Amino acid sequence: MTKKLIPTALAAAMLLAGCSLIPTYERPAAPVPTTYPGDPAQPAGQASASLPWQDFFADPRLAGLIQTALANNRDLRVSVLNIEQARAQFQIERSNLFPALGLTGNGSRSSPNSLQGVDGMGSVASQYSVNFGFTAWELDFFGRIRALKDQALSQYLATEETRKAVQISLIASVANGWLTLLADDELLELTRQTMVTRDESVRLTKMRFDNGVSSELDFQAANSLAETARAAYAQQQRARLQDENALALLLGAPVPPEATAGGAKGLDGIKPMPDVPAGLPSDLLAERPDIRAAEQQLIAANANIGAARANFFPRVSLTSGIGTASTEFSGLFDRGSKAWSFAPTVTLPIFDAGRNFATLNSAKAGREIAVAQYEKSVQTAFREVADALAGRATLGEQVRAQRAQADAEAVRFKLSDLRYRNGIASALDLLDAQRSLFTAQQSAVNVRLLQLQNQVTLYKTLGGGWATRDKG
């Protein structure tokens, strides 16, 4: 009859373990406007979050670099390993819901007097046992273990979202690094051309100076501009090498020469990236992995309150086993040596010097911190998208105007050179035209780079980059 009570008691305990003290979760209201500043016109197209990165970054040179980075980047590798660690921690917490079965063997020999039994004159008691069962299995009447399990689950899900955010950031960084290298090559070519032009001006000015047509002041001014171009060329070479090193770190491998080969047209020679619709700020809650990660951390903090509340209620644990027991080791498995045990334990907190109250207050404060962090992540995402949209609305006109200025300066330089050769204009006019042309050309390249990088940033800030196209 007693053996039948054990499974009945266990079943009843499982049925009773259905209480949860976790507060009802409610997503905080997004502390941002319902539309982006200026309410810009939205281009038609697929949302960034669902647009595979292969479709956005269509240039095969860049696609190859991104593939290399996804395979080799150490930050991304660490984020994947963090997922495995969080998954294991969740499984640990989940396992506490179930009894841990084990086989134990015990043996003891004792005597009432330590001096007895040495010479064989005293009595010695022996006891041997082998048991199969579980020890101190806590019955989760008030949901403490399930709250800890839910907390670990949310942290695991947050880690998965963090991996996606790391991938998004990595892809955008590789794209921006590659664009920077192309701009570096374009600036180097501009500087080479400028050096040739200024060396020609030095030669012409020196010839005029030797013939007494112009002063040494004109010659030294031309020579100064030529050396300025050489200094700029050395600086740009250094910047190009450093930018390549930065990209190699992201790739986890050297940058292949073909990644920037065939770029005679510079930034204008890449395959264009599509414009993507920004949608509404509320869309970011579902599309940005970093926001979803912050929300999962908030859910974990909310579950932690349930575990802290459960500390105020009794804990019931069971120890049970079935096996054999005998006073002689050789008689452990003889007939009539069967034994069983069933030992419930109830622990009721009475006085703990305020430990449980402090634990609960700490859990509540942790939830408020998680709320603030979630709201900050939403605000940061809104600001990043708004900045990228402002760039998209204005950089196109800036690029057009900057290129028009460079074209005008090129015409001005040709006219100034022609006038100088014919003795109509002074050397200062020619040198000023050279300086202005070089500055305008550099600015045009830099603004075009900024426009392309802004497209990458907008795709990233809208949550694009973690979706990938299925192979084949």
Side-chain angles (χ1 to χ4, degrees), residues 288-331:
R288 289 264 302 221
D290 58 332
I291 295 180
R292 294 201 299 266
E295 184 174 14
Q296 288 298 331
Q297 292 290 1
L298 174 57
I299 294 174
N302 195 62
N304 195 35
I305 294 178
R309 286 176 173 176
N311 289 334
F312 290 90
F313 295 89
R315 295 187 187 181
V316 180
S317 60
L318 296 179
T319 299
S320 179
I322 185 170
T324 65
S326 175
T327 57
E328 296 182 2
F329 185 77
S330 60

Side-chain angles (χ1 to χ4, degrees), residues 356-372:
N356 286 339
F357 280 105
T359 302
L360 179 59
N361 291 335
S362 176
K364 290 182 178 179
R367 180 179 62 179
E368 295 306 313
I369 292 173
V371 169

Side-chain angles (χ1 to χ4, degrees), residues 146-190:
R146 280 181 290 116
L148 293 176
K149 183 262 297 181
D150 291 344
Q151 178 193 29
L153 175 61
S154 295
Q155 290 175 338
Y156 159 62
L157 295 176
T159 308
E160 169 63 26
E161 296 298 338
T162 300
R163 184 204 66 80
K164 294 179 181 178
V166 171
Q167 177 175 320
I168 287 175
S169 179
L170 173 62
I171 289 177
S173 296
V174 170
N176 285 331
W178 179 68
L179 291 172
T180 301
L181 279 185
L182 294 182
D184 288 340
D185 290 340
E186 193 168 348
L187 289 172
L188 282 171
E189 181 59 30
L190 281 175

Side-chain angles (χ1 to χ4, degrees), residues 182-202:
L182 294 182
D184 288 340
D185 290 340
E186 193 168 348
L187 289 172
L188 282 171
E189 181 59 30
L190 281 175
T191 307
R192 289 191 197 98
Q193 296 174 4
T194 301
M195 289 169 56
V196 172
T197 301
R198 291 186 179 182
D199 286 342
E200 174 63 19
S201 295
V202 171

